[in-house]
Amino acid sequence: IVMAEDDATLLRLYELEMSGWGLDAQLIKARDGFDALIRIGEARPDLLISDLNMPGMDGFRMVRTLRADPRYGNMAIIVISGLDPATIKSMGLPDDIPVFAKPVRFPELRARIERIFSDIDAAAARH
């Protein structure tokens, strides 16, 4: 899992919370969209969890970049944002990307992540 969040305190909170979930996944932290793209290229993660409002390359541009690349176009993405839903929609975030409001409700986030990993495992079993 690559986690892109410019707030170091929030990033640490996510890391601490998720470490107790027993996921069979490594958390790789990124401080903005550009850093996340580098980490994604290095690690080829199954999931990206990202803020949208970040300095440098924001989450919107990062998602557009990923979706335009055939290697990452189908990668699972979750957004956690403090922006209001109308703004997010108007900025063109694809409809298939789930958006969680800040502060995130961890049980809901965990359920979504577990569902994504279950879907990935099921797809791998079919191939």
Side-chain angles (χ1 to χ4, degrees):
I1 302 172
V2 168
M3 169 76 73
E5 170 61 64
D6 62 311
D7 183 322
T9 303
L10 270 181
L11 196 56
R12 182 68 177 139
L13 174 65
Y14 297 145
E15 179 181 35
L16 290 171
E17 178 68 26
M18 293 169 67
S19 69
W21 292 353
L23 297 173
D24 184 22
Q26 175 188 7
L27 184 65
I28 300 166
K29 298 179 282 187
R31 65 186 173 276
D32 60 34
F34 185 73
D35 191 29
L37 289 177
I38 292 170
R39 305 279 178 250
I40 289 166
E42 292 170 347
R44 299 195 53 94
D46 293 316
L47 172 62
L48 166 67
I49 302 172
S50 182
D51 188 8
L52 292 173
N53 191 14
M54 297 180 286
M57 180 185 286
D58 67 23
F60 294 103
R61 185 167 165 211
M62 176 185 53
V63 167
R64 281 193 298 274
T65 301
L66 288 168
R67 287 291 169 91
D69 187 321
R71 294 170 296 174
Y72 305 108
N74 293 323
M75 185 173 70
I77 300 172
I78 294 174
V79 163
I80 302 173
S81 179
L83 297 173
D84 68 274
T87 300
I88 292 170
K89 186 98 172 140
S90 73
M91 296 288 287
L93 188 73
D95 291 333
D96 65 321
I97 296 176
V99 178
F100 290 85
K102 285 183 179 178
V104 69
R105 292 187 181 114
F106 284 116
E108 294 172 17
L109 179 62
R110 180 179 182 173
R112 180 56 69 111
I113 291 171
E114 288 174 345
R115 191 169 345 133
I116 288 169
F117 282 157
S118 176
D119 292 347
I120 290 168
D121 289 345
R126 286 193 298 270
H127 294 298

